[in-house]
Amino acid sequence: MRIGIVGAGPSGSYLALLLARGGLSPVLFHDPKAGEKPCGGGVTAKAFDEFPELSGLAIPGVRVDRARIVSPRGRAVEIESDRMFEIFAREAFDGRLRGLAREAGARIVPSRVARVGPGPRVGFDGGEETFDLLVGADGAFSIVGRSSGRPLPKARLCPAVGALVRGVNPAEGAWMRFYPGIRGYLWVFPRTDRASVGIVAFPGDATAADLRRRVAEFLRRSLPGSEVLGSYGWVIPAPGADGRPLVPPLEDGVALVGDAAGLVDPITGEGIYYALASARLLAGAILRGRPQEYPALLEETLAPELARAGAWAERYFKPAVLEAILAGARRSRRVRALIADLASGRQKYSTLPDRVGASPAGRILARVFRTFLAA
Ligand SMILES: Cc1cc2nc3c(=O)[nH]c(=O)nc-3n(C[C@H](O)[C@H](O)[C@H](O)COP(=O)(O)OP(=O)(O)OC[C@H]3O[C@@H](n4cnc5c(N)ncnc54)[C@H](O)[C@@H]3O)c2cc1C
């Protein structure tokens, strides 16, 4: 089976790796001029637990064991947990996964895909190729998705902007800062030599220019010694309350994975895990000779968690809810532990109500999470 994959981000490279390991010879189109993906680069403990390849990447990363969370009214709480997540420069992360795919036998074509047509066929600088299955792993503005009549709906694209800054001490951990009127949050994710300071909001909450002003103000007030090295802007697709991909993930010999399908946690903006997870589901279906099962696999495995997140996202970002949760966290070690487990992904949304109900501190947890869980 001839398989073409457009885009060598986490979803495309991981898919190529798994297919090559399974004995196929996928063709991976990598745009060498694209530059680093604008991203916080945070990879959760959940992703490390589920994808063994991540532990052997051998690239520099900053392990985050503590984070400062600041409520919409400016009240801070510190949470701690062993390796909540690890932060990588995306250039290094994506490059290493692409290297693993190449070593496993994938053919990397260093060219941007310029055209996608029926066949499915792709046109690029240097030629044209036709495939049995074409995979769009080319992010939120996927040419594969657009050319096959499946662009992501604009109304579900969350603006995300930020800056790379020098002068943030990685030992101080990460930050997450909430604001009234913004369904999203500002983050400080330290890397080895710089930090990514960015903010995401639901569509309509703020313009990219508003968000840039907030980042600038945050840097001035909270990280006065930092120096801006460059800025970035992109979008994060957010699935709705059904947790399904934002567009059909497989049609007419064209599959979509990761951001191209709109698979991102709408509460945390975590997309790297979902990029890898959707790639793994598609790889498994292809290697079993049944790619047509991919949509059902997404529905069974990823949609339930994303649906919880989609249903809770609206109420979670209400200032009163966040204030209550973070006030509870200041008082209770168990609430702090639970929040840390949510941030690391070790606590699934689907089993959160059980944990809240079963905890010896059930009453305080239940009070804190009541509004949030009532979906
Ligand atoms: C500002 C920001 C911060 C984020 N922070 C985090 C975070 O900390 N943790 C987390 O888990 N998620 C984060 N996300 C989400 C995460 O970046 C994405 O969900 C994830 O990268 C999706 O992976 P992907 O492989 O599907 O797509 P992408 O990473 O977008 O990769 C797409 C690839 O396709 C390539 N491409 C595009 N068009 C073509 C073409 N025509 N031809 C060839 N190649 C092409 C691109 O160059 C790129 O390499 C963040 C997103 C943003 C915007």
Side-chain angles (χ1 to χ4, degrees), residues 62-71 75-87 168-178 185-190 218 316 326 329-330 335-337 339-344:
V62 168
R63 194 179 151 140
V64 172
D65 296 324
R66 64 199 185 104
R68 180 180 308 173
I69 308 185
V70 185
S71 79
R75 297 184 178 165
V77 62
E78 297 264 343
I79 57 168
E80 286 186 1
S81 172
D82 184 35
R83 199 208 231 173
M84 242 180 293
F85 42 92
E86 195 156 335
I87 300 171
V168 176
N169 181 0
E172 290 188 6
W175 293 55
M176 288 156 224
R177 168 78 163 99
F178 296 95
Y185 65 99
L186 179 147
W187 65 85
V188 179
F189 279 10
F218 175 84
Y316 172 72
L326 295 177
R330 281 193 294 277
V335 176
R336 287 197 294 281
I339 292 173
D341 287 349
L342 283 167
S344 71

Side-chain angles (χ1 to χ4, degrees), residues 5-14 28-44 47 85-88 90 93-94 97-98 109-116 123-124 136-144 146 158-162 185 187 189 196-200 232-237 256-265 268-276 278-279:
I5 304 166
V6 180
S11 60
S13 292
Y14 193 53
L28 177 62
F29 292 92
H30 162 54
D31 178 358
K33 294 191 189 142
E36 179 166 297
K37 164 86 198 273
C39 184
V43 178
T44 54
F85 42 92
E86 195 156 335
I87 300 171
F88 298 102
R90 279 291 300 271
F93 185 81
D94 294 12
L97 275 181
R98 192 169 67 247
V109 177
S111 227
R112 181 171 182 82
V113 166
R115 294 174 307 282
V116 175
F124 54 97
D138 48 345
F141 300 109
S142 168
I143 188 175
V144 179
R146 283 183 284 123
C158 305
V161 307
Y185 65 99
W187 65 85
F189 279 10
S196 162
V197 181
I199 182 168
V200 58
Y232 57 78
W234 201 246
V235 295
I236 303 184
L256 300 172
V257 288
D259 274 21
L263 294 165
V264 179
D265 181 323
T268 61
E270 179 180 18
I272 295 172
Y273 169 83
Y274 288 98
L276 300 173
S278 56

Side-chain angles (χ1 to χ4, degrees), residues 34-331:
E36 179 166 297
K37 164 86 198 273
C39 184
V43 178
T44 54
K46 167 176 70 173
F48 279 97
D49 291 346
E50 281 195 32
F51 301 100
E53 295 84 0
L54 297 185
S55 299
L57 287 183
I59 51 169
V62 168
R63 194 179 151 140
V64 172
D65 296 324
R66 64 199 185 104
R68 180 180 308 173
I69 308 185
V70 185
S71 79
R73 285 165 67 185
R75 297 184 178 165
V77 62
E78 297 264 343
I79 57 168
E80 286 186 1
S81 172
D82 184 35
R83 199 208 231 173
M84 242 180 293
F85 42 92
E86 195 156 335
I87 300 171
F88 298 102
R90 279 291 300 271
E91 200 168 16
F93 185 81
D94 294 12
R96 188 69 196 112
L97 275 181
R98 192 169 67 247
L100 290 178
R102 182 190 291 111
E103 287 158 25
R107 176 158 66 92
I108 316 278
V109 177
S111 227
R112 181 171 182 82
V113 166
R115 294 174 307 282
V116 175
R121 188 177 66 242
V122 302
F124 54 97
D125 198 15
E128 254 195 16
E129 288 201 37
T130 303
F131 297 98
D132 299 312
L133 179 71
L134 181 66
V135 182
D138 48 345
F141 300 109
S142 168
I143 188 175
V144 179
R146 283 183 284 123
S147 306
S148 58
R150 289 175 282 162
L152 295 185
K154 279 208 183 97
R156 306 295 321 176
L157 298 181
C158 305
V161 307
L164 291 172
V165 306
R166 195 155 44 203
V168 176
N169 181 0
E172 290 188 6
W175 293 55
M176 288 156 224
R177 168 78 163 99
F178 296 95
Y179 293 97
I182 300 274
R183 289 167 297 171
Y185 65 99
L186 179 147
W187 65 85
V188 179
F189 279 10
R191 302 181 187 172
T192 44
D193 60 340
R194 56 193 61 188
S196 162
V197 181
I199 182 168
V200 58
F202 274 20
D205 286 357
T207 63
D210 295 334
L211 296 176
R212 283 195 194 289
R213 276 192 288 276
R214 271 189 203 272
V215 171
E217 184 193 293
F218 175 84
L219 289 173
R220 213 170 33 248
R221 288 196 182 177
S222 303
L223 297 171
S226 58
E227 177 199 351
V228 174
L229 302 172
S231 56
Y232 57 78
W234 201 246
V235 295
I236 303 184
D242 62 7
R244 299 206 172 103
L246 287 171
V247 285
L250 179 70
E251 259 178 21
D252 303 328
V254 178
L256 300 172
V257 288
D259 274 21
L263 294 165
V264 179
D265 181 323
I267 290 182
T268 61
E270 179 180 18
I272 295 172
Y273 169 83
Y274 288 98
L276 300 173
S278 56
R280 185 171 58 187
L281 290 174
L282 180 59
I286 292 172
L287 292 171
R288 286 191 300 278
R290 306 188 61 78
Q292 68 274 20
E293 289 176 356
Y294 172 56
L297 292 169
L298 287 175
E299 181 83 25
E300 277 162 33
T301 55
L302 301 188
E305 273 294 282
L306 288 173
R308 288 279 184 167
W312 286 341
E314 288 292 336
R315 66 191 68 196
Y316 172 72
F317 287 122
K318 287 204 167 101
V321 172
L322 281 165
E323 293 296 345
I325 292 176
L326 295 177
R330 281 193 294 277
R331 286 199 308 273

